[in-house]
Amino acid sequence: MAPAAPAQSVPQQAGTDCGAIQKTLIERKNLVAKANAASNSKKKMTPQEACSLFGQLQANGTTGIKWITANKEWCSIPDSFSEGFKADHSKVAAIRTKVCGIAAQASKMEAQAKTQAQNGGGGGLLGGPGLSGAFRMPQGAL
């Protein structure tokens, strides 16, 4: 009868499937693989795409931390795993903050460029009106 006592003291976890975290971990693995593939690819992610990806990764980490915290004792999750997961989540949050800040800045700059283009100003390389008209190439031997 001794094994039943711990289940009675923690009744909400008695039906917990300790393998349920696997779905979250697999999803996290796929998101990290996507980020790694993008960093090694010739075609780089836009700041907005990176912000979205790290947002998904942060949401995944939040879900994982909640599950680990709630089921740590019941599922005998080692402290090292829990602490490592939390440290990784903190790194992801810091990276997401930076990437999303860059994405916001890029969006702001694109909006400014679009506004300037619509107003007809700032079309040149150095902010001037730019070149207009035809430019004739010299004839003859160079």
Side-chain angles (χ1 to χ4, degrees):
M1 288 279 164
Q8 289 175 351
S9 65
V10 190
Q12 75 273 14
Q13 293 180 340
T16 298
D17 175 16
C18 291
I21 189 69
Q22 288 301 319
K23 179 184 175 204
T24 303
L25 295 177
I26 290 169
E27 181 183 330
R28 186 171 193 80
K29 179 183 168 189
N30 292 338
L31 290 169
V32 169
K34 187 175 178 181
N36 287 337
S39 70
N40 295 330
S41 172
K42 289 183 181 181
K43 181 189 175 289
K44 300 295 181 189
M45 281 185 174
T46 66
Q48 291 80 5
E49 291 170 338
C51 180
S52 174
L53 178 67
F54 278 94
Q56 292 172 1
L57 199 53
Q58 187 175 14
N60 173 279
T62 300
T63 301
I65 287 173
K66 284 181 185 176
W67 191 92
I68 290 168
T69 302
N71 298 293
K72 186 176 186 309
E73 298 299 321
W74 181 258
C75 295
S76 301
I77 298 171
D79 288 337
S80 60
F81 178 80
S82 175
E83 290 167 7
F85 196 91
K86 288 177 183 177
D88 183 54
H89 181 66
S90 296
K91 289 178 188 175
V92 166
I95 293 170
R96 180 183 179 268
T97 300
K98 289 179 185 177
V99 169
C100 291
I102 291 169
Q105 188 176 21
S107 295
K108 182 179 176 183
M109 290 172 68
E110 288 171 6
Q112 286 176 344
K114 186 183 274 188
T115 302
Q116 282 183 339
Q118 288 174 349
N119 293 339
L125 179 63
L126 300 175
L131 297 175
S132 59
F135 183 75
R136 216 170 141 222
M137 293 296 291
Q139 299 296 317
L142 296 175

